[in-house]
Amino acid sequence: MKKLVSVVLGVALLGTAAGCGDGSASEADPSTSAVTTPTAGTTTTTAAPAPPPKPAGPLTGAQYQASLAKIDQQIATDLRGLTGAKSGDNLADAMDTLAESLNSTAAELAILKVQPNIAAAHKTLQARLRAAAASLTGTQADNVDTNAKCGGVVYTSQNVQRKLTADLTGAIAPLQRFGLKFGTTLPDLGPEPADQRPSNGDVLVRSGPRGSGRLQVTNGTTDDVAVAIVTDGKPPSKPHLLVYVQAKKTATINRIGGKYHVFFKSGTDWNPKRRQFSAGCSFQKFDDGFGRNEAWKIDLQPTLLGNASTSDVDAF
């Protein structure tokens, strides 16, 4: 997809830069227990369908605890799909499976009869299970493949697991008040990694010869970007310069050597080891190259008045 952005050419430089319980069936109503259809000379009797079993209850504390233990065991089983995912597709499939399991569990709990004193905690548990399922199939699921490509499958899976624990934690305390245990198999991955956002204009990579080229970058977008100055003929994964430009700020890149192309990636949660954004990432490049020892100004804010086009590229 091409976008127009603003580029201004400077002066060419020559050295200076410009649930549990058994159901019990109720007794059938004699008036509806069978249907008799008279025919000529014969009588056909068809048994009416049995009514659905009514839930047993109210459950004892031990029986309800057994139901909670069953839920914990099922969550542990489903979590193996998240922790063992090798790709974004694997992770998305595991999230779908877990969401279906949580919704089914909530439905099974809804038909149980419980002691009146734990009714409120019982409803809270159902609500939190449904909320967790909704998170697994909402925006988080839509972005999981993209996030796995930029932040890595393990990092993305850990974020999904943290969100699952956060969604279900609200059901733990209400149950604990009655001596009931829940959430024993929920993952505990600790807090999210500390923010490692570089300062505006930080040079993250510099390699190769220096020259007189200069590039002023205005990031008019709402996301931080890492701008890669890539020597003509080289891949973006091996940039001549990689410079961090925070959202709504401007940075100037000096002493650029030779002809080059400009790539840039945006997102959130910068990972300094991978030199990647871990979530919401995108990757683009300017379609035209930049000459040696020239001064340019570029604005990354897409605009109809722009005089340069950009295209989406593979992750780098």
Side-chain angles (χ1 to χ4, degrees), residues 45 77-78 90 132 146 166 229 296 305:
T45 301
T77 298
D78 294 334
N90 290 159
T146 298
I229 306 299
W296 293 84
L305 301 177

Side-chain angles (χ1 to χ4, degrees), residues 228-232 234-236 238-241 259-263:
I229 306 299
V230 180
T231 302
D232 193 24
K234 297 290 186 179
K238 298 186 179 299
H240 171 41
L241 282 155
K259 296 181 179 180
Y260 60 93
H261 294 271
V262 174
F263 292 73

Side-chain angles (χ1 to χ4, degrees), residues 186-230:
L186 290 176
D188 182 8
L189 301 174
E192 293 186 29
D195 184 11
Q196 302 184 67
R197 183 191 193 195
S199 299
N200 185 62
D202 275 2
V203 177
L204 307 176
V205 173
R206 180 182 279 277
S207 65
R210 302 189 181 194
S212 313
R214 184 175 68 184
L215 180 67
Q216 179 179 297
V217 181
T218 298
N219 180 11
T221 72
T222 57
D223 288 328
D224 289 1
V225 299
V227 178
I229 306 299
V230 180

Side-chain angles (χ1 to χ4, degrees), residues 46 64 177 239 244 261:
T46 303
Y64 192 68
R177 296 189 188 103
Y244 198 90
H261 294 271

